[in-house]
Amino acid sequence: MKIVVCGKGGSGKSTVASLLAKNFAKNGFSVLVVDTDESNFGLHRQLGLDLPQDFTGYYGGKQAVMQRIMAAAPDYGSVSFFDEAWGLADLPAGYLSEKDGVKLVAIGKIHEAGEGCACPMGMLAKQFIGNLKVKPGEVVITDTEAGIEHFGRGIEESADAVLMVIDPSYESLKLAEKVAELSRSIDKPVFFVLNKVDGSSEHFMCDALGDRHAIAAVIPTDPSLAVAGLRGDEVEADSADIEHLGRFLRDTLAV
Ligand SMILES: Nc1ncnc2c1ncn2[C@@H]1O[C@H](COP(=O)(O)OP(=O)(O)OP(=O)(O)O)[C@@H](O)[C@H]1O
Ligand SMILES: [Mg+2]
């Protein structure tokens, strides 16, 4: 099963991706988290893992990836980075962190001013996720950058489902409409996680979203998550809400 986690900036994408990864692992799944956010450096901390080396390094670094794409001009999309499908066991050890059934690959981060756009990371991420062969009992969770650029990059094309994290804000609710429309256009189911809610915001958000069946979980504002987010601490997936989310996805996507 491949799930892409998306949402507005700061809505809780990385927190939910981490909690979900840990919950799947707790339930016996082998989990790969793919960090496709080139700007943020906190996901590995939430997972309690070291930051792995950029996966672009496997192909000689970001500039080498860019050169390979440019060399195919004008048919940039024709570049193929993978000759054969990879399973989770085939991932190169030098480019992943691992603990308690959860592996982490980070496609690439921005390290220097003026190093160029993130297009090489986007193209590699799309191919990396699309190329992965996922067996029963395995889950790939992709954490994305804020917004919907990843739809433009085609990151969702090989996903089984899109999981959008929605915080109590007008921007998130508007973005949910767009994410639903984009997901429909590529024939992908979309599910919502209402995050950082209290009683009154939950009602408002449910009414605004309309489709209650698409709401996979409701996660209240949790002071311990807020503290972990401030300190860069590992999160713990022991809440009933996360267990519910994991079960919802396992049942709905039949894995
Ligand atoms: N349910 C929650 N209760 C309290 N705090 C939360 C909750 N979910 C997330 N947070 C906090 O909100 C902040 C943003 O969370 P997170 O980094 O997961 O968001 P994000 O959507 O991945 O952000 P970005 O767009 O920057 O990648 C963090 O400080 C996190 O600890
Ligand atoms: Mg994030």
Side-chain angles (χ1 to χ4, degrees):
M1 168 168 56
K2 297 181 186 177
I3 299 165
V4 173
V5 180
C6 70
K8 181 181 84 54
S11 57
K13 298 176 290 299
S14 301
T15 303
V16 170
S18 300
L19 292 169
L20 195 56
K22 284 168 167 277
N23 181 266
F24 270 113
K26 204 174 84 183
N27 283 290
F29 285 77
S30 294
V31 184
L32 171 66
V33 178
V34 186
D35 182 356
T36 65
D37 186 340
E38 60 277 345
S39 300
N40 283 316
F41 287 79
L43 175 63
H44 69 286
R45 303 276 305 219
Q46 293 175 307
L47 289 165
L49 292 167
D50 293 331
L51 180 65
Q53 212 185 133
D54 287 358
F55 183 69
T56 49
Y58 185 74
Y59 292 98
K62 181 184 168 189
Q63 299 309 331
V65 171
M66 183 60 132
Q67 277 163 18
R68 206 158 143 181
I69 295 168
M70 296 308 281
D75 193 7
Y76 303 106
S78 66
V79 177
S80 175
F81 288 94
F82 298 91
D83 298 332
E84 55 185 28
W86 287 10
L88 263 56
D90 303 323
L91 301 170
Y95 297 91
L96 61 84
S97 299
E98 186 169 6
K99 187 175 90 168
D100 300 335
V102 178
K103 293 181 161 95
L104 171 66
V105 167
I107 299 298
K109 302 289 178 189
I110 300 289
H111 296 284
E112 288 167 30
E115 69 168 58
C117 72
C119 298
M121 277 86 110
M123 195 161 163
L124 193 54
K126 177 189 171 182
Q127 290 195 16
F128 176 81
I129 298 159
N131 184 62
L132 281 172
K133 215 171 31 191
V134 179
K135 293 194 281 207
E138 295 178 339
V139 183
V140 176
I141 299 171
T142 299
D143 185 30
T144 58
E145 81 284 355
I148 48 175
E149 164 80 12
H150 43 87
F151 275 97
R153 290 173 167 176
I155 298 291
E156 279 78 2
E157 275 171 26
S158 62
D160 296 301
V162 175
L163 190 65
M164 180 182 179
V165 181
I166 306 180
D167 64 1
S169 68
Y170 177 79
E171 287 295 353
S172 262
L173 291 168
K174 283 310 284 181
L175 194 64
E177 291 171 15
K178 191 67 196 173
V179 166
E181 178 196 321
L182 291 168
S183 300
R184 249 192 325 269
S185 75
I186 52 170
D187 219 12
K188 302 292 174 189
V190 60
F191 303 111
F192 301 122
V193 175
L194 310 189
N195 190 32
K196 307 193 207 184
V197 297
D198 59 22
S200 62
S201 56
E202 180 183 340
H203 282 118
F204 187 90
M205 291 163 83
C206 287
D207 287 347
L209 287 169
D211 183 5
R212 281 167 194 265
H213 299 297
I215 299 174
V218 178
I219 304 176
T221 299
D222 176 345
S224 69
L225 284 177
V227 170
L230 174 63
R231 298 168 61 101
D233 287 345
E234 185 173 353
V235 294
E236 298 302 334
D238 49 12
S239 82
D241 306 311
I242 296 303
E243 183 60 34
H244 171 85
L245 176 60
R247 199 173 326 111
F248 175 96
L249 292 170
R250 292 198 300 275
D251 292 350
T252 310
L253 301 172
V255 291

